[in-house]
Coordinates of all heavy atoms in Angstrom, one line a residue:
G1 N -37.1 -63.7 -20.3 CA -37.7 -65.1 -20.3 C -39.1 -65.2 -19.7 O -39.5 -66.3 -19.5
V2 N -39.7 -64.1 -19.4 CA -41.1 -64.1 -18.9 C -42.0 -64.7 -20.0 O -42.0 -64.2 -21.1 CB -41.5 -62.8 -18.4 CG1 -43.0 -62.8 -18.0 CG2 -40.6 -62.3 -17.2
E3 N -42.8 -65.7 -19.6 CA -43.7 -66.3 -20.5 C -45.2 -66.0 -20.2 O -46.0 -66.1 -21.0 CB -43.5 -67.8 -20.6 CG -42.1 -68.2 -21.1 CD -41.8 -69.6 -21.0 OE1 -42.5 -70.3 -20.2 OE2 -40.8 -70.1 -21.7
V4 N -45.4 -65.7 -18.9 CA -46.8 -65.5 -18.4 C -46.8 -64.3 -17.5 O -45.9 -64.2 -16.6 CB -47.3 -66.8 -17.6 CG1 -48.7 -66.5 -17.1 CG2 -47.2 -68.0 -18.5
V5 N -47.8 -63.5 -17.6 CA -48.0 -62.4 -16.7 C -49.5 -62.5 -16.2 O -50.4 -62.7 -17.0 CB -47.8 -61.0 -17.3 CG1 -48.3 -59.9 -16.5 CG2 -46.3 -60.8 -17.6
F6 N -49.7 -62.3 -14.9 CA -51.0 -62.3 -14.3 C -51.4 -60.9 -14.0 O -50.6 -60.1 -13.6 CB -51.0 -63.1 -13.0 CG -50.5 -64.6 -13.3 CD1 -49.2 -64.9 -13.2 CD2 -51.4 -65.6 -13.6 CE1 -48.7 -66.2 -13.4 CE2 -51.0 -66.9 -13.8 CZ -49.6 -67.2 -13.7
G7 N -52.6 -60.5 -14.3 CA -53.0 -59.2 -14.0 C -54.4 -58.8 -14.5 O -55.0 -59.4 -15.3
I8 N -54.8 -57.6 -14.0 CA -56.1 -57.0 -14.3 C -55.9 -55.7 -14.9 O -55.3 -54.8 -14.3 CB -57.0 -57.0 -13.1 CG1 -57.2 -58.4 -12.5 CG2 -58.3 -56.3 -13.4 CD1 -58.0 -58.4 -11.2
P9 N -56.3 -55.4 -16.2 CA -56.1 -54.1 -16.7 C -57.0 -53.1 -16.1 O -58.1 -53.4 -15.6 CB -56.5 -54.3 -18.2 CG -57.3 -55.5 -18.3 CD -57.0 -56.4 -17.1
G10 N -56.5 -51.9 -16.1 CA -57.3 -50.7 -15.6 C -56.8 -49.5 -16.3 O -55.8 -49.5 -17.0
S11 N -57.4 -48.4 -16.0 CA -57.1 -47.1 -16.7 C -55.6 -46.7 -16.5 O -55.0 -46.0 -17.3 CB -58.0 -46.0 -16.3 OG -58.0 -45.8 -15.0
H12 N -55.0 -47.1 -15.3 CA -53.7 -46.7 -15.0 C -52.6 -47.5 -15.6 O -51.4 -47.1 -15.7 CB -53.5 -46.6 -13.5 CG -54.5 -45.8 -12.8 ND1 -55.6 -46.3 -12.1 CD2 -54.5 -44.4 -12.7 CE1 -56.3 -45.3 -11.6 NE2 -55.7 -44.1 -11.9
N13 N -52.9 -48.7 -16.0 CA -51.8 -49.6 -16.4 C -51.9 -50.0 -17.9 O -51.4 -51.0 -18.3 CB -51.7 -50.9 -15.5 CG -53.0 -51.7 -15.5 OD1 -53.8 -51.6 -16.4 ND2 -53.1 -52.5 -14.5
L14 N -52.7 -49.3 -18.7 CA -53.0 -49.7 -20.0 C -51.7 -49.7 -20.9 O -51.7 -50.5 -21.8 CB -54.0 -48.7 -20.7 CG -55.4 -48.9 -20.1 CD1 -56.4 -47.9 -20.7 CD2 -55.9 -50.3 -20.3
A15 N -50.7 -48.9 -20.6 CA -49.5 -49.0 -21.4 C -48.8 -50.3 -21.2 O -48.2 -50.8 -22.2 CB -48.5 -47.9 -20.9
V16 N -48.9 -50.9 -20.1 CA -48.3 -52.3 -19.9 C -49.2 -53.3 -20.7 O -48.6 -54.1 -21.4 CB -48.3 -52.7 -18.4 CG1 -47.8 -54.1 -18.2 CG2 -47.4 -51.7 -17.6
F17 N -50.5 -53.2 -20.5 CA -51.3 -54.2 -21.2 C -51.3 -54.0 -22.7 O -51.4 -55.0 -23.5 CB -52.7 -54.1 -20.7 CG -52.9 -54.8 -19.4 CD1 -52.6 -54.2 -18.2 CD2 -53.2 -56.2 -19.3 CE1 -52.6 -54.9 -17.0 CE2 -53.2 -56.9 -18.1 CZ -53.0 -56.2 -16.9
G18 N -51.0 -52.8 -23.2 CA -50.8 -52.6 -24.7 C -49.6 -53.4 -25.1 O -49.6 -54.0 -26.2
G19 N -48.5 -53.3 -24.3 CA -47.3 -54.0 -24.6 C -47.5 -55.5 -24.6 O -47.0 -56.3 -25.4
L20 N -48.3 -56.0 -23.6 CA -48.6 -57.4 -23.5 C -49.3 -57.9 -24.7 O -49.1 -59.0 -25.2 CB -49.4 -57.7 -22.2 CG -48.6 -57.7 -20.9 CD1 -49.5 -57.7 -19.7 CD2 -47.5 -58.8 -20.8
A21 N -50.3 -57.1 -25.2 CA -51.0 -57.5 -26.4 C -50.2 -57.7 -27.6 O -50.5 -58.5 -28.5 CB -52.1 -56.5 -26.6
E22 N -49.0 -57.0 -27.6 CA -48.2 -57.1 -28.8 C -47.0 -58.1 -28.6 O -46.2 -58.3 -29.5 CB -47.6 -55.7 -29.1 CG -48.6 -54.7 -29.3 CD -48.8 -54.3 -30.7 OE1 -47.9 -54.5 -31.5 OE2 -49.9 -53.8 -31.0
S23 N -47.0 -58.7 -27.4 CA -45.8 -59.6 -27.1 C -46.2 -61.1 -27.2 O -47.4 -61.4 -27.4 CB -45.3 -59.3 -25.7 OG -46.2 -59.9 -24.7
S24 N -45.2 -61.9 -27.0 CA -45.5 -63.4 -26.9 C -45.9 -63.8 -25.5 O -46.1 -65.0 -25.3 CB -44.3 -64.1 -27.4 OG -43.2 -63.9 -26.5
I25 N -45.9 -62.9 -24.6 CA -46.2 -63.3 -23.2 C -47.7 -63.5 -23.1 O -48.5 -62.8 -23.6 CB -45.8 -62.1 -22.2 CG1 -44.2 -61.9 -22.3 CG2 -46.2 -62.4 -20.8 CD1 -43.7 -60.7 -21.5
R26 N -48.0 -64.6 -22.4 CA -49.4 -65.0 -22.2 C -49.9 -64.2 -21.0 O -49.3 -64.2 -20.0 CB -49.5 -66.5 -22.0 CG -50.9 -67.0 -21.9 CD -51.0 -68.5 -21.8 NE -51.9 -68.9 -20.8 CZ -51.6 -69.8 -19.8 NH1 -50.5 -70.4 -19.8 NH2 -52.5 -70.0 -18.9
L27 N -51.1 -63.6 -21.2 CA -51.7 -62.9 -20.1 C -52.8 -63.8 -19.5 O -53.7 -64.3 -20.2 CB -52.4 -61.6 -20.6 CG -53.3 -60.9 -19.6 CD1 -52.5 -60.4 -18.4 CD2 -54.0 -59.7 -20.3
V28 N -52.8 -63.9 -18.2 CA -53.8 -64.6 -17.4 C -54.5 -63.6 -16.5 O -53.8 -63.0 -15.7 CB -53.3 -65.8 -16.6 CG1 -54.4 -66.4 -15.8 CG2 -52.6 -66.8 -17.5
S29 N -55.8 -63.3 -16.7 CA -56.4 -62.3 -16.0 C -57.4 -62.9 -15.0 O -58.5 -63.4 -15.3 CB -57.2 -61.3 -16.9 OG -57.7 -60.2 -16.2
P30 N -57.0 -62.9 -13.7 CA -57.9 -63.4 -12.7 C -59.0 -62.4 -12.3 O -59.1 -61.3 -12.9 CB -57.0 -63.7 -11.5 CG -56.0 -62.6 -11.6 CD -55.8 -62.4 -13.1
R31 N -59.9 -62.8 -11.4 CA -61.0 -61.9 -11.0 C -60.6 -60.9 -9.9 O -61.4 -60.0 -9.7 CB -62.2 -62.7 -10.6 CG -62.8 -63.6 -11.7 CD -63.9 -64.4 -11.2 NE -64.3 -65.3 -12.2 CZ -65.4 -65.2 -12.9 NH1 -66.2 -64.2 -12.6 NH2 -65.8 -66.0 -13.9
H32 N -59.5 -61.1 -9.3 CA -59.1 -60.2 -8.2 C -57.6 -60.1 -8.2 O -56.9 -61.1 -8.5 CB -59.6 -60.8 -6.9 CG -59.6 -60.0 -5.7 ND1 -58.4 -59.8 -4.9 CD2 -60.5 -59.1 -5.2 CE1 -58.7 -59.0 -3.9 NE2 -59.9 -58.5 -4.1
E33 N -57.1 -59.0 -7.7 CA -55.6 -58.7 -7.7 C -54.9 -59.7 -6.7 O -53.8 -60.1 -7.0 CB -55.3 -57.3 -7.3 CG -55.8 -56.3 -8.2 CD -57.2 -55.8 -8.1 OE1 -57.9 -56.4 -7.2 OE2 -57.6 -54.9 -8.8
Q34 N -55.6 -60.1 -5.6 CA -55.0 -61.1 -4.7 C -54.7 -62.4 -5.5 O -53.7 -63.0 -5.3 CB -55.8 -61.3 -3.5 CG -55.1 -62.2 -2.5 CD -56.0 -62.3 -1.2 OE1 -57.1 -62.9 -1.3 NE2 -55.5 -61.8 -0.1
G35 N -55.7 -62.8 -6.3 CA -55.5 -63.9 -7.2 C -54.4 -63.8 -8.1 O -53.6 -64.8 -8.3
A36 N -54.1 -62.6 -8.7 CA -53.0 -62.4 -9.5 C -51.7 -62.6 -8.8 O -50.8 -63.3 -9.3 CB -53.1 -61.0 -10.1
G37 N -51.6 -62.1 -7.6 CA -50.4 -62.2 -6.8 C -50.1 -63.7 -6.4 O -49.0 -64.2 -6.5
F38 N -51.2 -64.4 -5.9 CA -51.0 -65.8 -5.6 C -50.7 -66.6 -6.8 O -49.9 -67.6 -6.7 CB -52.2 -66.3 -4.8 CG -52.1 -66.0 -3.3 CD1 -53.1 -65.2 -2.7 CD2 -51.1 -66.4 -2.5 CE1 -53.0 -64.8 -1.4 CE2 -51.0 -66.1 -1.2 CZ -52.0 -65.3 -0.6
A39 N -51.3 -66.3 -7.9 CA -51.1 -67.1 -9.2 C -49.6 -66.9 -9.6 O -48.9 -67.9 -10.0 CB -52.0 -66.6 -10.3
A40 N -49.1 -65.7 -9.5 CA -47.7 -65.4 -9.8 C -46.8 -66.2 -8.9 O -45.8 -66.8 -9.3 CB -47.4 -63.9 -9.8
G41 N -47.1 -66.2 -7.6 CA -46.3 -67.0 -6.7 C -46.4 -68.5 -7.0 O -45.4 -69.2 -6.9
G42 N -47.6 -69.0 -7.3 CA -47.7 -70.4 -7.6 C -47.0 -70.8 -8.9 O -46.4 -71.8 -9.0
Y43 N -47.1 -69.9 -9.9 CA -46.3 -70.1 -11.1 C -44.8 -70.2 -10.9 O -44.1 -71.1 -11.4 CB -46.6 -69.0 -12.1 CG -45.8 -69.0 -13.4 CD1 -46.2 -69.8 -14.4 CD2 -44.6 -68.3 -13.5 CE1 -45.4 -69.9 -15.6 CE2 -43.8 -68.4 -14.6 CZ -44.2 -69.2 -15.7 OH -43.4 -69.3 -16.8
A44 N -44.3 -69.3 -10.0 CA -42.9 -69.3 -9.7 C -42.5 -70.6 -9.1 O -41.4 -71.2 -9.4 CB -42.5 -68.1 -8.8
R45 N -43.3 -71.1 -8.2 CA -43.0 -72.4 -7.5 C -43.0 -73.5 -8.5 O -42.2 -74.4 -8.4 CB -44.0 -72.6 -6.4 CG -43.9 -71.7 -5.2 CD -45.1 -71.8 -4.3 NE -45.3 -70.8 -3.4 CZ -45.1 -70.9 -2.1 NH1 -44.6 -72.0 -1.6 NH2 -45.3 -69.8 -1.3

């Protein structure tokens, strides 16, 4: 049931981002990883 994932692509996580590109999950890419973490927490709330 995940509809949104927050994150920043990098050379180490490209396999995940490749999957996101092919999925119905919306990707929101903030400017900093701390922002991704807080955005995920805010989304959960």
Side-chain angles (χ1 to χ4, degrees):
V2 173
E3 298 171 343
V4 180
V5 167
F6 303 88
I8 300 173
S11 58
H12 301 103
N13 60 19
L14 292 178
V16 176
F17 281 87
L20 286 168
E22 305 257 338
S23 77
S24 66
I25 296 174
R26 189 172 131 227
L27 170 64
V28 177
S29 187
R31 294 177 186 255
H32 192 275
E33 294 86 355
Q34 188 177 62
F38 278 117
Y43 174 85
R45 292 169 195 254

